[in-house]
Amino acid sequence: MKLRFLGIIPNTPVDDSPTIWLDEDTGDLLIQSYKATEEEVKACQEIGSVPGHSAEVPDHETIIRLPAVMLRYIPRVQDGNGEVPRT
């Protein structure tokens, strides 16, 4: 696994450090951030995602809260023309 550091929350104290890395082999992001509270998890479960898909969070997954300031570090995927695809 070849990881590249992308960013850390600006002005972070030593023991409070949401961070993002990129796995250059897979393109996956690894994110260290705040755990969602029970209230936030319940709200996510109430909203759900895809109809018919379980809203439960499996033991091998978690919901995190990523501070908005960290979005600047998430790389944008570009198509062959250098354009960022629109979803």
Side-chain angles (χ1 to χ4, degrees), residues 5 7-19 32 34 69-70:
F5 169 78
I8 190 167
I9 198 167
N11 302 317
T12 185
V14 174
D15 60 350
D16 190 28
S17 49
T19 307
Q32 172 185 332
Y34 306 109
V69 69
M70 296 297 290

Side-chain angles (χ1 to χ4, degrees), residues 3-67:
L3 293 181
R4 178 168 36 117
F5 169 78
L6 296 180
I8 190 167
I9 198 167
N11 302 317
T12 185
V14 174
D15 60 350
D16 190 28
S17 49
T19 307
I20 299 178
W21 300 267
L22 171 69
D23 181 332
E24 292 185 333
D25 296 329
T26 65
D28 292 346
L29 294 175
L30 288 88
I31 301 174
Q32 172 185 332
S33 194
Y34 306 109
K35 291 181 180 180
T37 64
E38 285 186 40
E39 180 180 333
E40 291 166 333
V41 171
K42 286 179 185 178
C44 290
Q45 291 172 322
E46 287 174 10
I47 293 171
S49 58
V50 177
H53 195 275
S54 173
E56 295 303 313
V57 180
D59 288 340
H60 65 278
E61 296 180 5
T62 191
I63 295 176
I64 64 168
R65 174 174 289 280
L66 185 66

